[in-house]
Amino acid sequence: MASTKVKPLGQRVLVKRLDEDETSGGGIIIPDTAKEKPQEATIVALGTGKNEEGKEVPFSVTEGDKVLISKYGGTDIKLDGEEHLILSESDILAIVE
Amino acid sequence: MASTKVKPLGQRVLVKRLDEDETSGGGIIIPDTAKEKPQEATIVALGTGKNEEGKEVPFSVTEGDKVLISKYGGTDIKLDGEEHLILSESDILAIVE
Amino acid sequence: MASTKVKPLGQRVLVKRLDEDETSGGGIIIPDTAKEKPQEATIVALGTGKNEEGKEVPFSVTEGDKVLISKYGGTDIKLDGEEHLILSESDILAIVE
Amino acid sequence: MASTKVKPLGQRVLVKRLDEDETSGGGIIIPDTAKEKPQEATIVALGTGKNEEGKEVPFSVTEGDKVLISKYGGTDIKLDGEEHLILSESDILAIVE
Amino acid sequence: MASTKVKPLGQRVLVKRLDEDETSGGGIIIPDTAKEKPQEATIVALGTGKNEEGKEVPFSVTEGDKVLISKYGGTDIKLDGEEHLILSESDILAIVE
Amino acid sequence: MASTKVKPLGQRVLVKRLDEDETSGGGIIIPDTAKEKPQEATIVALGTGKNEEGKEVPFSVTEGDKVLISKYGGTDIKLDGEEHLILSESDILAIVE
Amino acid sequence: MASTKVKPLGQRVLVKRLDEDETSGGGIIIPDTAKEKPQEATIVALGTGKNEEGKEVPFSVTEGDKVLISKYGGTDIKLDGEEHLILSESDILAIVE
């Protein structure tokens, strides 16, 4: 994990984009012609989990989960040289098991 | 089912588009001129069922159901060579019995 | 009714458009110049009745009711050769008694 | 009233547009230059009164009330040769007493 | 007051625009260059006070109050030859005491 | 304060724009290139404090407070020759102590 | 801290942009090509914490926290010669630990 720690706020998570050779083999292929092309990533850190009213909503993902994320939404940052993304949990489409 | 497992998040489901010869015979014909052309698909996996407040809302569909889905909405992915779609349950129009 | 059964999801209903000779005689005439031209239809099937929070909301229409529906909204499908429409109950303007 | 009966759904009402000679004398004049020109009409039938959650909300108007309605909104239909309109009660601006 | 009575529906009020010589002397001057130019008016009648859920919300203004109203919003009508306006109470900016 | 009194409605406040020589010395400088340029003002009068449901919400500002207000939003009026503004409390960014 | 004190209203915070040499070393690099480029800043002051209904929602950040903020949103002000920003807590993406 990154030596610089980033703790997302609220219902956001920090994810690391997966390199081509880390993606789930031949299992998931995202067609180039897909209307909205999802991306594979790994959960690096969960946010504080507080919603806008200040109540805690438990996350459905945990650190280390491999996920499919929506192409749109999220903010790119580089942590220790690697591409990361801070995004809302609602922009995670699915967990790849 | 796909060897690679995909667990949709929240109120999303994973569906597989039906090939022409799998669709419901002469029963349902979707006119080419339809304003919004629905598509037939089969439910492959249900999501976690948690809504945005973290509460569980039961699904009205189950694995194996043949459904009509809205043409718009959803994200295309290929699983083991077959076209799938992750979409919100609210984009399912009807169950074909 | 159609031999292929279609069960709408949520607060949607399945309706069959009325042919000219089935409409309510000289009673209702929808002017060609109407801003939003409604259409006459018959309720074929009610949905599951669950709203987005998973709670059941009773329908105000029943199978067989002749209704006026909003021109916009709804998805066209053909069932056993006849034009049908899946639409939200909130797009039904009135019951024609 | 119309021989063909129309029962509006939800918080909608059925109104009949007033002819020029039926409007409220010299009392109300709607200026041609008005930004949003209202229209006079009579309440013909109340809807079922159920809101989108299925709860009954009492109407503030009753059959026979002469009302001012918003120019925009509503759907035109002809009942037994006379111009009617199905519109939401919230598009009624005022009752003319 | 007008001989023809108009009872606004819901949280609307009926106001009469003030003539130049009725406005609050030199006290309030609305600059011509104001981004949103308010207008002075007098409350003629309060609405039924029911909100969209059918609950009664008390008005903060009463008949006879001199008010500043937002330029946008509201519907012009003429009552017994005088310019009136039906508008939502939320479009009243302030009471001029 | 103004001899003509203006009582804002709801969660609005009446403020007086500060002249250049009244602003907070060298303390706060609002860069000309700021995306959204705030302005300094003094609270002259608080509104009735009722929200849209008719419930009273206490103000976080009081008469005499010096505040930073959002450039957009609010309605200009002149009271006894001085520039004032009626705006929603939510358009106040901060209190300058 | 600034000699002129600024107390943000509601769920807003006051932050100071970090100079290049104050940012988190080589740890976080925000790619120039990032769709939405975040910025590093330090929390200078918390707001009153009242939400729009007047209820207090505790902040998830505290004075002195180093944070990543969304590029869009917020209002620039200069306090004692240094660039500050008043922004909603919901525009803070993450705490940099």
Side-chain angles (χ1 to χ4, degrees):
Chain A
M1 208 207 301
S3 57
T4 306
K5 287 190 71 171
V6 167
K7 177 74 177 175
L9 234 70
Q11 297 178 285
R12 296 180 181 92
V13 297
L14 175 70
V15 303
K16 197 178 74 156
R17 292 179 195 284
L18 288 185
D19 294 339
E20 287 298 307
D21 56 357
E22 290 171 306
T23 57
S24 43
I28 300 181
I29 296 165
I30 296 152
D32 279 346
T33 57
K35 283 172 294 182
E36 184 195 345
K37 196 180 173 181
Q39 294 171 317
E40 285 186 76
T42 309
I43 304 289
V44 174
L46 302 181
T48 56
K50 299 277 178 65
N51 69 8
E52 299 229 332
E53 283 77 38
K55 280 178 198 150
E56 204 160 325
V57 177
F59 284 96
S60 295
V61 292
T62 53
E63 281 191 29
D65 278 356
K66 191 176 282 193
V67 293
L68 283 178
I69 57 175
S70 171
K71 196 188 173 182
Y72 306 109
T75 302
D76 294 306
I77 58 167
K78 239 182 192 166
L79 284 175
D80 300 319
E82 289 181 295
E83 274 191 44
H84 287 73
L85 201 64
I86 298 173
L87 77 164
S88 168
E89 194 196 19
S90 64
D91 287 328
I92 302 178
L93 301 174
I95 302 172
V96 181
E97 283 163 4
Chain B
M1 208 206 302
S3 58
T4 306
K5 288 190 71 171
V6 167
K7 177 73 177 174
L9 236 69
Q11 297 178 285
R12 296 181 181 91
V13 296
L14 175 71
V15 303
K16 196 178 74 155
R17 291 179 195 284
L18 288 185
D19 295 339
E20 287 299 307
D21 56 356
E22 290 172 305
T23 57
S24 44
I28 299 182
I29 296 166
I30 295 151
D32 280 346
T33 57
K35 282 173 295 181
E36 185 195 344
K37 197 180 172 181
Q39 295 171 317
E40 286 186 76
T42 308
I43 304 289
V44 174
L46 301 181
T48 56
K50 299 278 178 64
N51 70 9
E52 299 229 331
E53 283 77 40
K55 280 179 199 150
E56 203 160 325
V57 177
F59 285 95
S60 295
V61 291
T62 52
E63 280 191 30
D65 278 357
K66 190 175 282 191
V67 293
L68 283 178
I69 58 176
S70 171
K71 196 187 173 182
Y72 307 109
T75 302
D76 294 306
I77 58 167
K78 241 184 191 164
L79 284 174
D80 300 318
E82 289 181 294
E83 273 191 45
H84 287 74
L85 201 64
I86 298 173
L87 77 163
S88 168
E89 193 195 20
S90 64
D91 287 327
I92 302 177
L93 301 175
I95 302 172
V96 181
E97 283 163 4
Chain C
M1 208 207 301
S3 57
T4 306
K5 288 190 72 170
V6 167
K7 177 74 178 172
L9 236 69
Q11 298 178 285
R12 295 181 181 92
V13 296
L14 175 71
V15 303
K16 196 177 75 156
R17 291 180 196 283
L18 287 186
D19 294 340
E20 288 297 308
D21 57 356
E22 290 172 306
T23 57
S24 43
I28 299 182
I29 296 166
I30 295 150
D32 280 346
T33 58
K35 282 173 295 182
E36 185 196 344
K37 197 180 172 181
Q39 294 171 316
E40 285 186 75
T42 308
I43 303 290
V44 173
L46 300 181
T48 56
K50 300 277 178 64
N51 70 8
E52 299 229 331
E53 284 76 39
K55 281 178 198 149
E56 202 159 327
V57 176
F59 285 95
S60 295
V61 291
T62 52
E63 280 190 30
D65 278 356
K66 191 175 281 192
V67 293
L68 282 178
I69 57 175
S70 171
K71 196 187 173 182
Y72 307 109
T75 302
D76 293 306
I77 59 168
K78 239 182 192 165
L79 284 174
D80 299 319
E82 289 182 294
E83 274 191 43
H84 287 73
L85 201 65
I86 297 173
L87 77 163
S88 168
E89 194 196 19
S90 64
D91 287 328
I92 301 178
L93 301 174
I95 302 172
V96 182
E97 283 163 3
Chain D
M1 208 207 299
S3 57
T4 306
K5 288 190 71 171
V6 167
K7 177 75 178 173
L9 235 69
Q11 297 178 287
R12 295 180 181 93
V13 296
L14 175 71
V15 303
K16 197 177 74 157
R17 291 179 196 283
L18 287 186
D19 294 339
E20 287 298 307
D21 57 356
E22 290 172 306
T23 57
S24 44
I28 300 181
I29 297 166
I30 295 151
D32 280 346
T33 58
K35 283 173 294 183
E36 184 196 344
K37 197 180 172 182
Q39 295 171 316
E40 286 186 74
T42 308
I43 303 290
V44 173
L46 301 181
T48 56
K50 299 276 179 63
N51 70 9
E52 298 229 331
E53 284 76 38
K55 281 179 197 149
E56 203 160 326
V57 176
F59 286 94
S60 296
V61 292
T62 53
E63 280 190 30
D65 278 357
K66 190 176 280 191
V67 293
L68 282 178
I69 57 176
S70 171
K71 196 187 172 182
Y72 307 110
T75 302
D76 293 306
I77 58 167
K78 240 182 192 163
L79 284 175
D80 299 320
E82 289 182 295
E83 275 191 41
H84 287 73
L85 201 65
I86 298 172
L87 77 164
S88 168
E89 193 195 19
S90 64
D91 288 327
I92 302 178
L93 301 174
I95 302 171
V96 182
E97 284 163 3
Chain E
M1 207 206 300
S3 56
T4 306
K5 290 191 70 171
V6 167
K7 177 75 178 173
L9 234 70
Q11 297 177 287
R12 296 180 181 93
V13 295
L14 175 71
V15 303
K16 197 177 75 157
R17 291 178 196 284
L18 287 185
D19 294 339
E20 287 299 306
D21 56 357
E22 290 172 306
T23 58
S24 45
I28 300 181
I29 296 166
I30 296 150
D32 280 345
T33 59
K35 282 173 296 183
E36 184 196 344
K37 197 179 172 182
Q39 294 171 317
E40 286 187 73
T42 309
I43 304 289
V44 174
L46 302 180
T48 56
K50 300 276 179 64
N51 70 9
E52 298 228 333
E53 283 77 38
K55 281 179 197 149
E56 202 160 326
V57 176
F59 285 94
S60 295
V61 292
T62 52
E63 279 190 31
D65 278 357
K66 191 176 280 191
V67 293
L68 283 177
I69 58 175
S70 171
K71 196 188 172 183
Y72 306 110
T75 302
D76 293 306
I77 58 167
K78 239 182 192 165
L79 284 175
D80 299 320
E82 289 182 294
E83 275 191 42
H84 288 72
L85 202 64
I86 298 173
L87 77 164
S88 167
E89 194 195 19
S90 63
D91 287 327
I92 301 178
L93 301 174
I95 302 172
V96 182
E97 284 163 2
Chain F
M1 207 206 299
S3 57
T4 306
K5 290 190 70 171
V6 167
K7 177 74 177 174
L9 234 71
Q11 296 178 288
R12 296 180 180 93
V13 296
L14 175 71
V15 304
K16 196 177 74 155
R17 292 178 195 284
L18 286 185
D19 294 339
E20 286 298 307
D21 57 356
E22 290 172 308
T23 58
S24 45
I28 300 181
I29 296 166
I30 295 150
D32 279 346
T33 58
K35 280 173 296 181
E36 184 196 345
K37 197 180 172 182
Q39 294 171 318
E40 286 186 73
T42 308
I43 303 290
V44 174
L46 301 180
T48 56
K50 300 277 178 63
N51 69 10
E52 298 229 332
E53 283 76 39
K55 281 180 196 148
E56 202 160 326
V57 176
F59 286 94
S60 295
V61 292
T62 53
E63 280 191 29
D65 278 357
K66 190 176 281 191
V67 293
L68 283 177
I69 57 175
S70 171
K71 196 187 173 184
Y72 306 109
T75 302
D76 294 306
I77 58 167
K78 238 181 192 165
L79 284 175
D80 299 319
E82 289 182 295
E83 274 191 43
H84 288 73
L85 202 64
I86 298 173
L87 77 164
S88 167
E89 194 195 18
S90 64
D91 287 327
I92 301 178
L93 301 175
I95 302 172
V96 182
E97 284 163 3
Chain G
M1 207 207 299
S3 56
T4 306
K5 289 190 70 171
V6 167
K7 177 74 177 175
L9 235 70
Q11 297 178 287
R12 296 180 181 92
V13 297
L14 175 71
V15 304
K16 197 178 74 156
R17 291 178 195 284
L18 288 185
D19 294 339
E20 287 298 307
D21 57 357
E22 291 171 306
T23 57
S24 44
I28 300 181
I29 296 165
I30 295 152
D32 279 346
T33 58
K35 282 173 295 182
E36 184 195 346
K37 197 179 172 182
Q39 294 171 318
E40 285 186 75
T42 309
I43 303 289
V44 174
L46 301 181
T48 56
K50 300 276 178 65
N51 69 9
E52 299 229 332
E53 283 77 38
K55 281 179 197 149
E56 203 159 325
V57 176
F59 285 96
S60 296
V61 292
T62 52
E63 280 190 29
D65 278 357
K66 190 175 281 192
V67 292
L68 283 178
I69 57 176
S70 171
K71 196 189 173 183
Y72 306 110
T75 303
D76 294 306
I77 58 167
K78 239 182 191 165
L79 284 175
D80 300 319
E82 289 181 296
E83 273 191 43
H84 288 73
L85 201 65
I86 298 173
L87 78 164
S88 168
E89 194 195 18
S90 64
D91 288 327
I92 302 178
L93 301 174
I95 301 172
V96 182
E97 283 163 4

